[in-house]
Amino acid sequence: MPGIVHLLAGAVIGLLIPNTVAMIVVAILSHYILDLIPHIDPATFAAKERPYTVIQKIGLTVDVILVLSFAASLFLVKHTNGNIFIGAIAALLPDLLSPLEEYSVFAPLHKIHRLFHWDERRAKYWDWYIAGLVSPILVSAVCVVILAKYS
């Protein structure tokens, strides 16, 4: 799932769960649940042996810009509940730690992430537009509505 979707879901979790420890656990688990939903993100179909295509680089760049912009706006807005910001970052944590997965100490993280992540193994059963557009947009829209209504 694109990073912005994880960030929005984590922000909603931070808004709705007042207990910080429980909220962090739920936000991290939400990452894996969202990764089960059919989606296309820049890394989903990337061959590990070759660099990303131009389209994948553009998609990744847009996602990073959206994530950084939204995270910065949460941090800078004075009335933002701290749990919203913490939940947003916690929901992104598995992706933020993914560069460490190549080290043996963090190898279990890679196995867990791969187990849950929707990718080319499951993609053959879905049309690209359903997986790539509909599910991330729907999840994001629901999160934005909840954030707008309750924050």
Side-chain angles (χ1 to χ4, degrees), residues 78-91:
K78 294 185 191 303
H79 68 275
T80 297
N81 176 337
N83 272 1
I84 293 174
F85 183 74
I86 293 168
I89 300 304

Side-chain angles (χ1 to χ4, degrees), residues 39-121:
H39 67 280
I40 293 176
D41 54 26
T44 301
F45 303 106
K48 302 303 179 200
E49 302 83 33
R50 64 174 190 238
Y52 284 170
T53 65
V54 172
I55 298 296
Q56 288 169 320
K57 287 178 184 176
I58 291 170
L60 187 59
T61 301
V62 168
D63 193 36
V64 168
I65 289 169
L66 288 172
V67 165
L68 292 175
S69 299
F70 188 75
S73 69
L74 285 177
F75 185 74
L76 295 173
V77 174
K78 294 185 191 303
H79 68 275
T80 297
N81 176 337
N83 272 1
I84 293 174
F85 183 74
I86 293 168
I89 300 304
L92 270 176
L93 198 57
D95 280 344
L96 295 174
L97 294 176
S98 64
L100 300 176
E101 293 172 356
E102 65 183 63
Y103 299 104
S104 60
V105 174
F106 295 99
L109 291 176
H110 178 70
K111 288 180 182 175
I112 292 168
H113 212 167
R114 177 101 170 112
L115 177 68
F116 284 89
H117 203 275
W118 190 84
D119 58 15
E120 67 276 357
R121 294 172 293 155

